[in-house]
Amino acid sequence: MTESDYGEDRREVVDRYFAAVPGERERQRVWGYLLGGLALLLFGVFTSITGSWPIGVVFVVGGGAAAVRGFLLFEAYRDAREAALPKPRDAIIDKIRDHELAKVRRRALDRLDLTAEDLELDPADWDPLAQPLREESPREPLIVTGPVPTSRAVVGRDGIWRFSQYAVLAICPTDYHLGLYRCVIDLRVAGLFQEETHEYHYADVVAVSTAIREGTRVTAQIADDDGGHRFERALLHEFRLVVSSGDASAIVVGISDERHPDHQARLPAAGIDTVVRAVRNMLRDKKAALPEISPR
């Protein structure tokens, strides 16, 4: 991602997209200080001229202080609007996210010491009878991605919630084991953070599921607006892959409001149903092929 890709620095693009737009309350506060300070200043000058100069001085000093405070608030308000508007297009943020996910796919294979040829993957919706002559496509890790709920969030013009940080789980099934690579991507900076790798025998994988747990407050700004959406108590819908030791790799794939469960955040399409089906089918086939150990 270079300056030519977006017309300006990537960090500035992402910062402006996720920056909060100052609202009507901030604007009213600015004008309240400016107009109130001016009114006190004029009243103080008038009082001083009419003879009650000690009282007039008090009003002049108070009005001047309020006017200066209003001017400083105005500058902060103006700077905040310039930093947040105009919002970059949603497609630009999606392009940055897709670029980082492509890096994750390559990094997963490298960290797990695998090649694309080591992966045993077929599309979950491929029917060998209906499509016997399917063209071979490059094999890539299965990717499950979801937002980091504590990061900055914006509801785009298309109604989709976008976050500044995403957790990513790359699933790499081979003939002999299941490799997992997990990291966090930050759209603001190029880099993969909090990297983890895990490798399991297929017999050790005991569950692939989706579950719901309680989270904290999740708030998202609305693009080109000073409004926002807020879930005071969010329900986090997670994809989980659990092994026999009790360890679990979990990714948030949905967010809803505990008070109104039908009110859900629209997240970028992740194809989670397809991924869950593909992993379950792969585990079923691999476990069925494991040799049975007969009792002595």
Side-chain angles (χ1 to χ4, degrees):
M1 298 291 126
T2 63
E3 183 173 342
S4 60
D5 291 324
Y6 307 115
E8 55 186 302
D9 181 71
R10 162 179 168 167
R11 188 178 302 236
E12 293 179 4
V13 170
V14 175
D15 281 345
R16 192 165 72 252
Y17 185 83
F18 288 101
V21 179
E24 181 63 22
R25 180 179 299 180
E26 287 84 354
R27 189 179 71 84
Q28 290 179 355
R29 188 181 180 207
V30 169
W31 284 111
Y33 271 98
L34 286 175
L35 296 179
L38 180 60
L40 289 176
L41 190 62
L42 292 176
F43 181 77
V45 171
F46 175 77
T47 303
S48 298
I49 293 176
T50 57
S52 300
W53 67 266
I55 298 177
V57 169
V58 172
F59 278 101
V60 167
V61 172
V68 170
R69 174 65 172 165
F71 180 75
L72 294 176
L73 289 175
F74 170 76
E75 286 190 324
Y77 174 84
R78 180 196 59 197
D79 292 344
R81 287 191 64 88
E82 289 179 354
L85 297 174
K87 293 291 185 186
R89 292 181 293 110
D90 298 329
I92 292 178
I93 302 302
D94 292 341
K95 182 178 179 181
I96 295 175
R97 177 175 172 270
D98 291 343
H99 178 82
E100 293 303 304
L101 291 179
K103 288 167 53 178
V104 171
R105 292 184 176 93
R106 297 191 296 269
R107 179 66 169 169
L109 294 176
D110 180 62
R111 286 295 304 272
L112 292 167
D113 196 22
L114 298 173
T115 66
E117 288 71 24
D118 293 322
L119 302 179
E120 293 204 350
L121 291 171
D122 279 319
D125 56 355
W126 175 56
D127 183 350
L129 297 179
Q131 303 173 0
L133 299 179
R134 177 176 63 93
E135 292 185 4
E136 193 69 24
S137 58
R139 294 180 177 181
E140 294 181 329
L142 289 172
I143 292 292
V144 181
T145 182
V148 175
T150 54
S151 65
R152 293 180 294 172
V154 165
V155 181
R157 300 175 183 90
D158 54 5
I160 293 177
W161 290 47
R162 292 173 175 83
F163 291 75
S164 61
Q165 294 180 326
Y166 288 87
V168 187
L169 179 66
I171 304 172
C172 302
T174 72
D175 181 56
Y176 52 91
H177 82 315
L178 183 68
L180 301 178
Y181 169 80
R182 181 190 171 101
C183 70
V184 171
I185 60 174
D186 189 328
L187 303 188
R188 190 171 182 265
V189 294
L192 306 179
F193 305 92
Q194 302 177 31
E195 293 181 288
E196 300 176 11
T197 58
H198 303 275
E199 298 180 69
Y200 302 110
H201 295 294
Y202 287 108
D204 294 331
V205 181
V206 298
V208 177
S209 63
T210 55
I212 297 176
R213 68 175 177 88
E214 291 185 357
T216 56
R217 183 174 65 184
V218 176
T219 303
Q221 296 290 323
I222 298 179
D224 296 331
D225 200 346
D226 58 6
H229 287 299
R230 175 176 296 178
F231 295 166
E232 292 294 342
R233 289 181 62 87
L235 295 177
L236 306 180
H237 303 245
E238 293 183 329
F239 166 85
R240 293 181 181 175
L241 195 152
V242 186
V243 296
S244 56
S245 65
D247 294 338
S249 295
I251 296 288
V252 174
V253 294
I255 302 174
S256 61
D257 189 347
E258 184 180 43
R259 295 181 180 178
H260 308 283
D262 292 337
H263 187 191
Q264 297 193 13
R266 287 182 56 200
L267 302 180
I272 187 61
D273 292 336
T274 300
V275 171
V276 170
R277 185 166 60 251
V279 174
R280 284 176 175 166
N281 290 343
M282 176 265 301
L283 289 174
R284 183 186 62 243
D285 294 342
K286 290 297 182 182
K287 288 189 175 186
L290 291 175
E292 295 186 0
I293 301 177
S294 58
R296 294 182 178 180

